[in-house]
Structure formats: structure tokens, C-alpha cells
Amino acid sequence: MVHGSEVITIERFIMEQERLYPEATGELSNLLYDMCLAAKIISRHVRRAGLSDILGAAEAVNVSGDLQQKLDLFANETVRNSVQYTGRVCITASEEDERPVPVPESRSAGKYVVLYDPLDGSTNIDVNVSIGTIFSIHKRLSKKNGAGLADCLQVGKKQVAAGYILYGSSTMLVYTTGQGVHGFTLDPTIGEFLLSHPDIRTPPVGKYYSVNESNWNRWSPPVQRVVAAFKNGEGKVQPKNARYIGSLVADFHRNLISGGIFLYPAASNYPQGKLRLLYEAAPLAMVVEQAGGRATDGCRPILDLVPTDLHQRTPLVIGSKDDVAFAARVLGAEAAVAVK
Ligand code: AHM
Ligand code: MG
């Protein structure tokens, strides 16, 4: 945000927010700066992707069976290296690693847990389409030593911070610590994130619906009814425009700003949905709720889901509050019938 010639850097903004809480130790603020550093490094590489030989598939398949791209591996290491040596974090977990990674014993372990998707929408890397990083921060549960899986398997409403970085026409970092949602745009000429979107509020009814409609024949009738209502209108639901990039962060961000609903429901080829609860759905659910929107798996709020597995998937319906409420009513009725 620019007041006349005044520019607010992310560092100043985070510091000013911290002053509102005299009990704050500054560790969470510093962890957010660590994420900014990772964002700048990844952004630089994403911007150079077409120019260097970093493009292309690495010879590895990640735990979910997707072909990893070189840039995924780079982003995975960059986030971990940015947070694990500062004494603020005890363990990290990523979409790209089968198990959580505790900080090395030679380093001091801090009180936070970082879960992340280092490069979401990675099939879009090679075609110069927006991609993103998603992160979720929890407080550790374990005592001083022995951070492990249980520290990662926490319910979404316990997150202390969450956010994402969007590598789009510009690079943006959007985060919440539970005091609203704030967006910063990277000014590449000075290498700083500047406050560009203070206190983001998402419209209660959206303009857009975002879903991979090629899955139509794999959906249950209630999912088809919901999507048909957004496409054609039903009762109070007005028809919407379709927008689907295939990068969750980019689809989510557009809908957050303009109003809209994103759906990745269960389908016959993805019975639990495609997206991962801990480092895709839960952090974006915290962001959207802080901006006045909602997120559900069709039956329960995403932030109430208790994880049992690091890489578990969940159906996801997220965005403008009235649109998500409509979808939840239709899908919840389906679940109630199935239980009987
Ligand atoms: P990724 O984490 O392997 O990149 O997969 C997640 C991506 C999301 O960004 C996006 O919303 C979704 O997969 C798109 O899936 P589909 O191609 O089935 O529509
Ligand atoms: Mg992903």
C-alpha cells in the first residue's frame, strides 16, 4: 500500500502487527520472513525457468505418484533450507517427501511446525502458467526433543499462520496469522514484498466457478447438481462464469479477490478428492475464512477435519460464503442419505 510516497514493506507490516501483541516473542514474525526469503529465491528461479535447463522432469516420482519436475525439487529444498536452520522450527513436512523431516539433531529445534506444498500446479511449469507455494504453520505438540508425525497431524483450526505465494504476472505473498488476510507484491527492482492488498475480504457471492468439468461423468449426482447450478443458475444461485487454470493457488487467489467458488470434489478416480488436506486445503481454508469465505469437504468445515495421514486427500469446496453454503447444503444432504 502506498500512502503518497510511503511504501510498507512486509517486514514493517509484520513488525507493526506484532506490536499489537506484547506477549509475542517475534519468532512467528521471523518465521514469516524466512518464508519470504524462500518465496524470493523460488520466484527468481521460476522467472528464469524458460531460460535455464531447470525445466523438465527429474528422474523421480513423488509419494503421490506424480512425476516431479526439477523446479519442484528445488522449491522443496529451498523452503526447507530457509526455515530449518534458524531455531524456530522443529519439523517440516512437504508434499514431495514421504515422511516429515525433523531439523537435524546438530541444530536447535524451535516451537513451530511447517507443512508445505513447495510448487503447486506443477504441470503448468513447462507452459508458463501461474504456479504457487502453499504453507501451513502449527505450534509443536511434542516436548523439547522428539518432534514427529504427531506434530504434523493437527486439526486445521489449530494453525497459527497460513498462506501462499503466487508466481503469476507478478509474485505475491498472501498470509494470515488469524488477524485478517494481507497480500504483498514483490517489487523485483528492490527485492522487497510491498503491502498491496491490506485486509482482503472476499465477496459473499462469487462471479466465478472453478472446477475440472471433464470429471463430470465421474461425479455423484449431487456434485453434478451443484456444478449445474453454478453454470445455469438454480433458485437464488445466479449463473456464473467458468474459470479454471489447473493451479490451485492461482484459481484460489482469483476467486478470493473477485469472488468465486473452487471445487475439487470426490470423483470415481479420486474417491477422497485429489487435493491434500494438510498442506493444500487446510491453509487455504484458514485464509478464506479469515477473508470472510468458507471451506468444506461437503459435510464438515475443512478446519474441523482431524488428519490421520500426512498426505491424506480431501474433497474441497472453497470460496465465497454463500456459494459454499449452497454447495454444502446439497452435498451434506447426499452424505446424510448415504449414512442412513
Ligand atoms: P500438484 O500438487 O501435483 O500440482 O496437484 C495439485 C493440482 C492443483 O494445483 C490443481 O487445483 C489440481 O491439481 C488440478 O487437477 P486436475 O488437473 O485434475 O484438474
Ligand atoms: Mg499441490
Side-chain angles (χ1 to χ4, degrees), residues 178-289:
Q179 307 296 325
V181 178
H182 311 288
F184 301 80
T185 303
L186 182 62
D187 181 338
T189 62
I190 57 171
E192 285 282 2
F193 280 102
L194 305 178
L195 182 62
S196 53
H197 296 67
D199 202 13
I200 297 169
R201 305 295 299 168
T202 197
V205 177
K207 290 199 246 186
Y208 301 122
Y209 75 100
S210 309
V211 68
N212 184 341
E213 229 169 312
S214 70
N215 287 324
W216 180 272
N217 291 325
R218 301 187 178 107
W219 292 334
S220 66
V223 171
Q224 291 176 340
R225 183 183 147 197
V226 168
V227 175
F230 292 138
K231 192 209 293 251
N232 305 319
E234 180 192 313
K236 288 186 185 154
V237 177
Q238 295 294 313
K240 300 181 191 301
N241 258 335
R243 289 284 187 280
Y244 192 70
I245 297 168
S247 282
L248 175 62
V249 172
D251 280 310
F252 175 83
H253 180 75
R254 181 201 51 244
N255 291 351
L256 183 75
I257 302 296
S258 303
I261 183 164
F262 173 97
L263 308 95
Y264 211 113
S268 56
N269 55 339
Y270 284 117
Q272 308 303 321
K274 178 181 180 188
L275 300 171
R276 271 47 75 109
L277 173 60
L278 283 170
Y279 40 79
E280 294 182 318
L284 296 186
M286 182 178 182
V287 170
V288 88
E289 294 224 350

Side-chain angles (χ1 to χ4, degrees), residues 66 95-96 117-122 132 134 248-249 274-276 279-280:
D66 308 323
E95 174 173 345
E96 301 300 339
D117 181 353
L119 215 54
D120 182 69
S122 47
I134 310 173
L248 175 62
V249 172
K274 178 181 180 188
L275 300 171
R276 271 47 75 109
Y279 40 79
E280 294 182 318

Side-chain angles (χ1 to χ4, degrees), residues 29-46:
S29 300
N30 287 328
L31 180 50
L32 291 169
Y33 301 149
D34 297 340
M35 287 305 304
C36 290
L37 175 65
K40 289 184 205 173
I41 297 171
I42 298 168
S43 177
R44 188 186 61 191
H45 276 253
V46 168

Side-chain angles (χ1 to χ4, degrees), residues 24-225:
T25 60
E27 280 171 89
L28 184 58
S29 300
N30 287 328
L31 180 50
L32 291 169
Y33 301 149
D34 297 340
M35 287 305 304
C36 290
L37 175 65
K40 289 184 205 173
I41 297 171
I42 298 168
S43 177
R44 188 186 61 191
H45 276 253
V46 168
R47 301 290 171 218
R48 286 174 22 198
L51 300 171
S52 67
D53 74 350
I54 206 160
L55 274 175
E59 288 178 0
V61 171
N62 72 9
V63 287
S64 301
D66 308 323
L67 198 61
Q68 287 180 341
Q69 304 289 311
K70 279 184 188 172
L71 210 50
D72 289 23
L73 303 177
F74 176 81
N76 193 32
E77 291 302 309
T78 300
V79 173
R80 176 162 301 121
N81 288 337
S82 300
V83 302
Q84 77 170 352
Y85 298 120
T86 53
R88 300 186 253 278
V89 166
C90 61
I91 196 164
T92 59
S94 154
E95 174 173 345
E96 301 300 339
D97 296 311
E98 189 172 351
R99 281 186 277 277
V101 181
V103 300
E105 275 177 19
S106 56
R107 303 284 175 162
S108 65
K111 65 178 176 197
Y112 291 109
V113 176
V114 176
L115 303 137
Y116 62 103
D117 181 353
L119 215 54
D120 182 69
S122 47
T123 56
N124 279 327
I125 298 171
D126 278 352
V127 289
N128 206 359
V129 172
S130 300
I131 47 183
T133 298
I134 310 173
F135 61 92
S136 161
I137 302 176
H138 283 274
K139 274 202 179 132
R140 73 183 292 175
L141 299 173
S142 53
K143 302 285 176 226
K144 266 256 165 226
N145 297 314
L149 183 61
D151 292 297
C152 301
L153 297 182
Q154 298 195 49
V155 65
K157 61 187 169 197
K158 289 263 176 83
Q159 290 171 107
V160 293
Y164 59 86
I165 301 137
L166 172 62
Y167 312 101
S169 46
S170 52
T171 296
M172 279 196 73
L173 189 150
V174 176
Y175 82 92
T176 180
T177 54
Q179 307 296 325
V181 178
H182 311 288
F184 301 80
T185 303
L186 182 62
D187 181 338
T189 62
I190 57 171
E192 285 282 2
F193 280 102
L194 305 178
L195 182 62
S196 53
H197 296 67
D199 202 13
I200 297 169
R201 305 295 299 168
T202 197
V205 177
K207 290 199 246 186
Y208 301 122
Y209 75 100
S210 309
V211 68
N212 184 341
E213 229 169 312
S214 70
N215 287 324
W216 180 272
N217 291 325
R218 301 187 178 107
W219 292 334
S220 66
V223 171
Q224 291 176 340
R225 183 183 147 197

